Amino acid sequence: NVIKPDARTAWTFLTDEEQSARRLRTNFSWIDAVHGFHNQLVTGDPALHFLEHFRRRHLPPDSRPVAASFGCGEGHLERALLGLGWRFEALTGMELNPALVEHAQAKVAALEGGDRVRYQVADLNHLSLEPASLDLGMFFHSLHHVEGLEACLAEVSLALRHGGALLVIDYFGGNRLQRGMAHLSICDLYLRRIPEPYRVDLTRSSRNEVVLKERCTNTPVDQVIASDPSEAIRSEELAMALRSTPGLVVVEERPLGGTLLDPLFDRIAGNFVQSDPVAQACVQMAMAGEESLIASLALEPDYRYVVLRRH
C-alpha cells in the first residue's frame, strides 16, 4: 500500500482551467446529452439529476448530514451538491493531492453552504476515521484508485452511523482501464457508423494535419501507470469488495453511461457539439446502443451508481 511519489501530483492539472477544459473535450463526459443519459439510467428521467434522486430516496427530508467525500479531487462533487441545494451540518473532503485540497477549499468558500465544507489531505489506503461519526459517505470516481480496498471500506463502514448511507459512483471496469477485445470490437462497430468529420482525433490533429480515429483501443498499461500509478489499480474487484464489507448492504445499484460511450468518444468527444443535429444523432445512436447492450447482458456496465447502507 505504499503510495508512489507521483500519485500525489497526478491530477494537479485540474487546478488549471485551460488544461482541464482541453482534457475534458477528449472525454465522453464533455458531451451535454451524456449527463441526461446518466440521469435516465439511474432515475428513469433525464431531467432528474441522479444525485437529487439519491437525496430523495436515501436521505431523510430536509436532512443536514454529517458527511465525508473520499478522494474528492478538486471538489467538483461538493460544489455540485451545494448547487443542487444540499446543505450539510459538516462536509469533509479528503484528497491525497495537497494542491487539489487547496484549490477545492478556495473554490467552495464563495458558495452558499460552503462554510460547512472543509478539505484535508488524506490517503485512502490508510484512513483513520472516528467510529459512528458520519451520516453519509461518498466515493465519486475515486474508489477505483484505492489499492487497499478492504481496509478502506472497513474503516468507512465503521465510521457510518447505524442506518448511514454510502454512495459510490465509479468505474468498475477492467484493471488499468483495459477493455477486452470483444468489448472494443463492439465499440468499433459504432465508430464505423460515425461520419469522418466527427472522428477527427483532437489529441493528434493539427492545423497542418487531420488524423482520424480509426479504431477504439486501450491505452497501454505502462502509459496508464505513468499518468497515475493508482489508476484503476483494482477496479475489477470493486463490486466484490463492496458486497463483502462487514456492516454494509447494497440497497440500490444502477448502470451509468460510459461502457460504450467512453471508449467510443475517447479523443473525439469535442466534435459532438450540441447545436449540430448530425453529431447529436450519432450520440443518440451510441446511447441507445449502450443501454441495449447492457440490458441484454452483452456488456457488463463499466460505470455504476451504487448505494449501500450501514446495518
Side-chain angles (χ1 to χ4, degrees):
N1 294 336
V2 176
I3 294 295
K4 316 300 191 292
D6 51 352
R8 295 183 184 273
T9 59
W11 296 87
T12 300
F13 73 87
L14 292 175
T15 63
D16 184 299
E17 290 188 8
E18 183 177 338
Q19 288 188 55
S20 296
R22 187 163 56 245
R23 181 180 183 276
L24 182 60
R25 290 188 73 243
T26 68
N27 184 274
F28 77 105
S29 61
W30 182 89
I31 301 171
D32 286 342
V34 166
H35 302 287
F37 186 50
H38 291 320
N39 296 337
Q40 173 71 35
L41 291 173
V42 174
T43 75
D45 179 355
L48 177 60
H49 200 295
F50 59 83
L51 292 171
E52 184 60 22
H53 162 85
F54 168 79
R55 178 167 66 165
R56 295 179 186 180
R57 183 164 183 174
H58 299 288
L59 296 181
D62 302 319
S63 66
R64 289 177 172 256
V66 177
S69 175
F70 303 106
C72 59
E74 50 82 56
H76 171 79
L77 173 65
E78 298 76 56
R79 295 194 299 275
L81 294 176
L82 293 178
L84 288 169
W86 288 45
R87 296 296 176 261
F88 298 88
E89 180 66 28
L91 172 56
T92 303
M94 303 182 188
E95 167 57 41
L96 181 65
N97 187 325
L100 296 182
V101 167
E102 182 179 354
H103 179 79
Q105 193 69 67
K107 293 201 73 170
V108 81
L111 301 180
E112 183 179 355
D115 59 323
R116 299 284 181 164
V117 184
R118 291 291 179 267
Y119 291 95
Q120 64 184 51
V121 176
D123 179 356
L124 300 189
N125 288 297
H126 302 93
L127 276 179
S128 179
L129 303 171
E130 183 181 346
S133 60
L134 298 174
D135 303 306
L136 171 63
M138 299 173 286
F139 289 94
F140 188 75
H141 299 291
S142 55
L143 189 57
H144 73 277
H145 289 277
V146 178
E147 185 173 7
L149 283 173
E150 294 79 7
C152 174
L153 289 171
E155 188 71 11
V156 170
S157 176
L158 290 173
L160 289 172
R161 294 167 179 154
H162 178 72
L166 178 63
L167 172 63
V168 180
I169 297 163
D170 224 310
Y171 169 76
F172 286 69
N175 290 348
R176 302 301 190 186
L177 308 181
Q178 303 301 295
R179 276 94 175 182
M181 293 311 300
H183 188 157
L184 293 176
S185 295
I186 292 173
C187 296
D188 285 340
L189 289 174
Y190 284 84
L191 182 65
R192 288 196 288 270
R193 285 160 175 76
I194 295 176
E196 286 191 358
Y198 302 94
R199 290 195 281 114
V200 174
D201 189 326
L202 300 176
T203 66
R204 300 171 60 198
S205 298
S206 65
R207 291 183 179 179
N208 301 320
E209 182 183 15
V210 173
V211 179
L212 298 181
K213 179 176 179 176
E214 303 290 354
R215 294 177 57 227
C216 297
T217 59
N218 289 319
T219 301
V221 171
D222 60 341
Q223 292 183 28
V224 173
I225 295 173
S227 294
D228 179 359
S230 72
E231 182 63 78
I233 191 166
R234 292 179 63 194
S235 51
E236 294 175 6
E237 301 172 64
L238 260 58
M240 179 61 71
L242 287 168
R243 283 174 169 76
S244 60
T245 300
L248 292 182
V249 176
V250 175
V251 294
E252 186 180 15
E253 182 170 1
R254 299 281 186 269
L256 277 176
T259 305
L260 175 66
L261 303 186
D262 188 358
L264 177 62
F265 292 113
D266 181 42
R267 306 193 311 275
I268 64 173
N271 300 318
F272 296 85
V273 297
Q274 182 70 20
S275 59
D276 185 332
V278 176
Q280 292 310 303
C282 294
V283 173
Q284 293 296 326
M285 169 192 70
M287 292 191 304
E290 175 169 326
E291 189 168 11
S292 176
L293 288 162
I294 290 175
S296 66
L297 306 181
L299 288 177
E300 285 288 317
D302 278 353
Y303 293 88
R304 305 181 194 181
Y305 158 102
V306 185
V307 181
L308 303 97
R309 195 166 291 283
R310 171 72 186 180
H311 286 278

